[in-house]
Amino acid sequence: MSHALEYRCIGCMEATVTREFDVSHLSRTCPVCGEFERFVNTVVVERVNALAADPPAHLHWEQLDRTRKFLIAERVSRKDHSIEDFETVDPDDEDERDADASTGAEA
């Protein structure tokens, strides 16, 4: 018999379900919030929480949207990726590049 894994609703973050298979997420109607939501493997949820508690500066973690945070956490916790494999652009730098592009200036 395989090991049961827990999955958490990312809508309300309260409901959990256990399954005998290992996937990054599953979709189902949440018994707590009533929404058809993704239930994410708790290993991924724990990694999101750990990254939020000690965010890597090069990722500008606080400026990433929720989906991007879960994607990065999933790749780091369930695949052979390192946090250094990911790179994001500082929105302030992106605004500068956009301004340079519109004026024809070289960055």
Side-chain angles (χ1 to χ4, degrees), residues 24-39:
S24 65
H25 68 276
L26 50 98
S27 297
R28 59 170 282 158
T29 301
C30 176
V32 174
C33 68
E35 298 294 323
F36 187 76
E37 285 287 356
R38 281 190 173 178
F39 278 66

Side-chain angles (χ1 to χ4, degrees), residues 33-76:
C33 68
E35 298 294 323
F36 187 76
E37 285 287 356
R38 281 190 173 178
F39 278 66
V40 178
N41 190 309
T42 55
V43 170
V44 176
V45 174
E46 289 167 0
R47 182 59 61 115
V48 167
N49 292 339
L51 289 168
D54 186 21
H58 76 283
L59 289 182
H60 309 286
W61 186 258
E62 65 285 346
Q63 296 172 358
L64 296 176
D65 66 21
R66 185 176 180 176
T67 301
R68 179 75 47 108
K69 289 176 181 179
F70 273 99
L71 177 65
I72 291 170
E74 191 269 335
R75 299 259 168 95
V76 170

Side-chain angles (χ1 to χ4, degrees), residues 89-102:
V89 176
D90 183 347
D92 294 332
D93 293 344
E94 192 172 272
D95 291 341
E96 269 183 38
R97 277 198 304 272
D98 290 344
D100 290 343
S102 67

